[in-house]
Amino acid sequence: MNIQIKCRNGKLSEDERTYLQAKLQKLDRYLDEIGAVHVDLARSQQRGTGEVHIVQATLSADRGVMIRAEERDLEFRAAVDALHDTLQRQITRYKDRHYRRGRLRRGAGAESFASGDGAEYPAESNEAGARVVKTKQFVYKPMHSDEAIEQMELLGHTFFIFTDAVTNQVNVVYRRNDGNYGLIEQERT
């Protein structure tokens, strides 16, 4: 497992780095195919509570599996412990779904899905005042809508853009307000 740690503000002590790496290495018990873990650390001031540690991790595994979690706590070790527990719970949920439906139904011959590094760029402004503050690039395999929904849930997002494995068209799945899912397909001309 390749663990990449990025501190946004402040420095990470060697003791904290060792503790974080040891906790994340334990995730290998639950999922063997973990390739890389990208960890973002930050500290922020909050009224009434003081300095809060924010620990965010994105885990990339074989067959396009990406799992993301973020935890906040006053103590660094408590935030890391909570992050470990959240990732473990998400891995267990993924494995339950994955093995319940008989491994990957659609075949496993495609290349693996790997997350690119989330690169940060200087803010760009447009006329409305909104700005681009983060850009991400992904290399991915074509998938079916049910796999895209699962990937969206593992990432904790409300939408997911993917290439359909049958039509080879770009589609979007999204979570509706009623709890169901929607699919936006590209119109064929």
Side-chain angles (χ1 to χ4, degrees):
M1 175 187 320
N2 179 19
I3 300 174
Q4 298 174 353
I5 301 172
K6 181 168 65 171
C7 293
R8 294 192 184 272
N9 47 7
K11 297 251 184 204
L12 187 65
S13 72
E14 194 58 39
D15 184 44
E16 291 174 331
R17 179 180 300 277
T18 304
Y19 184 78
L20 176 62
Q21 289 175 338
K23 278 302 234 187
L24 293 177
Q25 289 290 343
K26 291 180 182 180
L27 293 174
D28 275 338
R29 298 178 192 168
Y30 307 105
L31 189 63
D32 294 331
E33 309 94 20
I34 298 173
V37 180
H38 301 280
V39 181
D40 287 327
L41 304 173
R43 294 183 181 133
S44 69
Q45 291 290 332
Q46 291 187 346
R47 260 195 258 187
T49 58
E51 187 176 69
V52 175
H53 295 272
I54 304 166
V55 183
Q56 176 184 332
T58 304
L59 185 142
S60 301
D62 288 348
R63 294 188 301 274
V65 177
M66 289 185 60
I67 299 173
R68 182 188 167 279
E70 179 179 313
E71 293 296 334
R72 299 166 184 255
D73 203 289
L74 297 173
E75 296 293 324
F76 176 77
R77 289 178 183 248
V80 171
D81 290 343
L83 179 79
H84 175 269
D85 293 344
T86 302
L87 288 171
Q88 177 187 349
R89 206 170 33 253
Q90 289 181 342
I91 288 170
T92 303
R93 185 175 68 187
Y94 163 72
K95 285 176 67 175
D96 286 347
R97 288 180 183 173
H98 179 72
Y99 291 113
R100 185 174 354 134
R101 68 177 152 150
R103 302 210 35 108
L104 291 177
R105 290 184 283 196
R106 311 284 194 231
E111 65 273 2
S112 71
F113 177 105
S115 167
D117 289 330
E120 299 219 14
Y121 298 98
E124 299 174 13
S125 297
N126 61 17
E127 299 115 45
R131 54 193 184 143
V132 176
V133 294
K134 191 170 187 177
T135 301
K136 291 187 176 184
Q137 297 175 343
F138 295 94
V139 177
Y140 58 93
K141 66 175 181 125
M143 59 180 71
H144 295 272
S145 59
D146 57 342
E147 292 174 87
I149 290 170
E150 183 177 327
Q151 188 67 48
M152 176 184 70
E153 291 296 328
L154 288 171
L155 289 170
H157 292 175
T158 56
F159 71 94
F160 189 78
I161 301 171
F162 68 102
T163 301
D164 190 270
V166 175
T167 63
N168 211 23
Q169 299 288 326
V170 176
N171 294 341
V172 177
V173 290
Y174 62 96
R175 187 179 311 116
R176 296 171 46 91
N177 291 336
D178 62 4
N180 293 316
Y181 300 102
L183 173 67
I184 300 174
E185 296 179 318
Q186 186 175 358
E187 184 175 324
R188 297 180 194 158
T189 55

